[in-house]
Structures are given as C-alpha cells and as structure tokens.
C-alpha cells in the first residue's frame, strides 16, 4: 500500500486496524469513509482544514499588541469571576477595539486612549464609551504586574459626562404610580413588583431568589453583578404581599402564571406589555422601569434622612469579599432592619398624603 503523508496531519492505524487521520494543530478529524485516504476528496479536506487553521491563526491576537493584552486579561481569574453581564459588556468593548487590536504596546499612551475614548463617544454614545474606558483600565491594571505594559494609561482619561438634557434612564417612581401599578397588576406580576418596591433588589436578583434564601424574616442573597452579600429584612408590607401571592411548587420564590420560575426576559416582556397598556389608558406616565424601583427605594430613604452608607448597605453596594463570614451578614441584617422600618414608615406617610382619609375631606357647602 502506498504511504500517504500530508504536512500537519497525523495518519495512523488504530487498535482495530482502521486508518485514521487528524490535523495535529486543531485536532480536526477527516472522515476516511467519506474521503478515502489518497483520494481527491481526501486532499480537498486537508486543504480546507489547513486554510481554516491558518485563517484562525491570523485572527489570533499577537503578542506585544493591544489584542494580546486583552487576551491576557481574559485569562485572569478576575475576568472569569465577573458577572456574566459584565463579561458580555467587556467583550463588546473588545469588539469595538477589533480594528486596532494590532496596535503595538509601546505606542499606547494616555493621549491615544483619550482619542479612542472620544471616538467611541461619537460612535456608541457616552455611556458605552465610559464602559470602554473602564475595560481598558482593567486590562492595563492586570497587565502591569505581568510586565506587559508600563502603566495604566486609561486612568488619566476623563469620563464623559452625562448629557444635561438626557432624561433620567431609571427615574424613581412616584407613590401614586406604585399604587396604580400594584392595583392593576395580575397577581403573579404584582408580587414581583412588591418585592422590588420593598427590598431595593436588582430585578434579575429578585427573579432568581430561591425559597431557601428566606430565613425567618430575612432574605439572604448575593448581588449577581458584584458578588456582594445582602441581608434584607422582610417588612410587614412585603410579608403581606408574599402571603397573598399565587401558590406554586417551583423552588424559586417568584413564579409566572404557569408556576414556573420567571426568566428575566420573560418578566421584562410581560412587564412591558402591562406597562404599555396602563400608559395607553393614561393611568401612568412614560418612563417607569423595573430598575427604577431600586432608585425609588434609595431616593425614599435618602429623603427620609438616612445617610448614604446605610442605604448602600441595604442595596449591597459595598465592595466585599465573596468569602465574607455569615455572622458579619447577620450584623448587617440587624442594621438593615432599622433601615427597612424607616422605608415602611416613609411609604405609609406618603400614602396618607397621596390618599387623604375621608375625615379630612370637607363637604362642599350646600346651595
């Protein structure tokens, strides 16, 4: 039998006596049944695999370039431990930088990064441009200890300000808006909104809550975005809302009309349809968002006189280690119980202002 040799491919006989062939670099196999060894189809497959391998090699970031720095950052534990949403945002930043990924490291400096930042603001907006700046800062920060770059050239770049005329993206809800939405919401939607209004949780974190995260009168959780532990006492208002929620067998605390755990996209779709209907009827003004309820809790507490540190503790905005001891969270829960009591009192006070009792309404004079 004629011996066939192709550069970059391993051709051999397996333990069953059958001929095998694969590309050494990519481990891509060739089906020798469909493309017999030495046939025209076989050589075509070899050429195709080789061409793909060379194309992929050309795409790979080069050492000593911006693309190489980004690839090095992707391999760090820091990047791998980021929340999925943050990793996705960072990869989108890298996609924007793709046209200049071969920029040599020795040419990177603060003016260059500032220019990239300016161009990004024009093309993808001020918010995404600032995300790009943050991404580059992280890439440079983790490249410095490895000796890959001399300094963090992104820290000297000034973030783009929020445009003065831009509407508040997630404005706080008014008390009347909260009442109207809760009054008209279907039961399986109402309980989700009640959780958001009375905890300050991020919508995605609230929808991911499990029943076993409630211990007594406290919700124990971890912010998906930052990994910070939170301990949120359950006040009377939320307790009543949970008690009135539709019963279901899902391990999640919150479930849809089928008794299954909500997905974020699923609830967002239902919420948007429901909200649009209320807007069409003129019952609420445009601009209500789920994330806006997190702002609502913070604003309510701030206006009630609580300091920013206590509000941040409730919302899980303090940077802490994932290995934070459970007892420390317990101490935080005790402090947050006072914070939640303030929220309950302030919401009740606002409700009385918005909805005056019948006794306070003076009858119109007759005649």
């Amino acid at each position: 039998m004629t011996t066939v040799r192709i550069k970059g491919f391993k051709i051999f006989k397996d333990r069953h006596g059958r001929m095998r062939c694969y590309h050494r670099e990519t481990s891509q196999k060739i089906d020798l049944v469909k493309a017999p060894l030495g046939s025209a189809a076989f050589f075509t497959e070899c050429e195709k695999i080789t061409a793909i391998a060379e194309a992929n090699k050309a795409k790979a970031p080069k050492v000593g370039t911006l693309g190489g720095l980004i690839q090095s950052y992707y391999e760090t534990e820091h990047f791998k431990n980021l929340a999925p949403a943050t990793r996705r945002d960072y990869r989108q930043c890298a996609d924007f930088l793709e046209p200049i990924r071969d920029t040599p490291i020795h040419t990177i400096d603060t003016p260059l990064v500032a220019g990239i930042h300016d161009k990004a603001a024009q093309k993808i907006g001020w918010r995404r441009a600032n995300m790009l700046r943050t991404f580059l800062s992280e890439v440079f920060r983790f490249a410095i200890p490895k000796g890959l770059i001399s300094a963090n050239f992104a820290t000297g770049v000034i973030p783009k300000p929020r445009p003065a005329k831009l509407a508040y993206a997630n404005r706080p809800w008014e008390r009347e808006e909260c009442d109207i939405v809760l009054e008209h919401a279907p039961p399986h939607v109402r309980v989700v909104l009640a959780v958001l209004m009375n905890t300050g949780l991020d919508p995605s974190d609230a929808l991911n809550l499990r029943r076993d995260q409630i211990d007594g009168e406290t919700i124990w959780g971890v912010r998906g975005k930052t990994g910070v532990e939170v301990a949120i006492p359950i006040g009377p208002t939320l307790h009543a809302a949970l008690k009135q929620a539709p019963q279901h067998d899902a391990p999640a605390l919150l479930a849809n009309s089928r008794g299954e755990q909500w997905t974020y996209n699923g609830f967002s779709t239902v919420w948007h349809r429901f909200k649009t209907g209320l807007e069409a009827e003129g019952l609420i003004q445009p601009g209500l968002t789920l994330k806006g309820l997190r702002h609502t809790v913070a604003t309510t507490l701030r206006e009630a006189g609580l300091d920013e540190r206590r509000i941040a503790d409730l919302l899980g905005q303090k940077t802490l280690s994932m290995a934070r001891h459970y007892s420390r969270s317990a101490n935080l829960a005790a402090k947050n119980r006072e914070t939640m009591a303030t929220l309950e009192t302030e919401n009740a006070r606002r409700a009385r202002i918005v909805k005056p009792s019948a006794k306070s309404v003076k009858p119109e004079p007759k005649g």
Side-chain angles (χ1 to χ4, degrees), residues 161-181:
R162 177 187 179 88
K165 297 182 179 179
L166 189 64
Y168 199 155
N170 294 298
R171 67 170 178 84
W173 295 27
E174 298 293 338
R175 185 67 250 173
E176 302 96 314
E177 293 173 321
C178 292
D179 293 340
I180 290 172
V181 169

Side-chain angles (χ1 to χ4, degrees), residues 312-333:
D313 284 343
L314 179 69
L315 300 182
Q317 293 176 327
K318 183 177 181 180
T319 301
L320 297 173
S321 169
M322 287 289 290
R324 179 181 176 188
H325 197 270
Y326 192 85
S327 63
R328 187 170 180 182
S329 293
N331 293 334
L332 185 60

Side-chain angles (χ1 to χ4, degrees), residues 100-148:
I100 59 171
R101 66 172 188 164
D102 290 334
T103 301
I105 291 176
H106 70 270
T107 65
I108 299 175
D109 55 17
T110 297
L112 175 64
V113 177
I116 296 171
H117 188 223
D118 291 340
K119 187 173 182 180
Q122 295 173 0
K123 286 197 167 186
I124 57 179
W126 69 277
R127 189 188 302 276
R128 301 301 300 178
N130 286 343
M131 172 66 75
L132 177 65
R133 171 189 172 276
T134 300
F135 171 64
L136 284 174
S137 179
E138 292 295 272
V139 170
F140 297 155
R141 183 163 73 95
F142 282 88
I144 292 172
K146 298 179 180 179
L148 300 178

Side-chain angles (χ1 to χ4, degrees), residues 201 205 208-223 228-234 324-334 336-337:
L201 283 169
D205 292 337
N208 286 326
L209 281 175
R210 304 183 310 275
R211 294 176 187 269
D212 59 10
Q213 288 180 260
I214 297 181
D215 180 15
E217 298 297 320
T218 303
I219 296 174
W220 302 92
V222 177
R223 280 204 67 199
V228 175
E229 292 184 4
V230 292
I232 305 175
I234 300 176
R324 179 181 176 188
H325 197 270
Y326 192 85
S327 63
R328 187 170 180 182
S329 293
N331 293 334
L332 185 60
N336 282 347
R337 195 169 301 282

Side-chain angles (χ1 to χ4, degrees), residues 63-89:
V63 176
T65 64
L66 176 61
L69 290 182
I70 293 174
Q71 184 58 44
S72 176
Y73 173 63
Y74 285 160
E75 295 170 359
T76 64
E77 288 299 316
H78 177 269
F79 178 78
K80 294 175 182 178
N81 287 329
L82 291 174
T86 305
R87 292 200 303 271
R88 183 179 64 249
D89 288 340

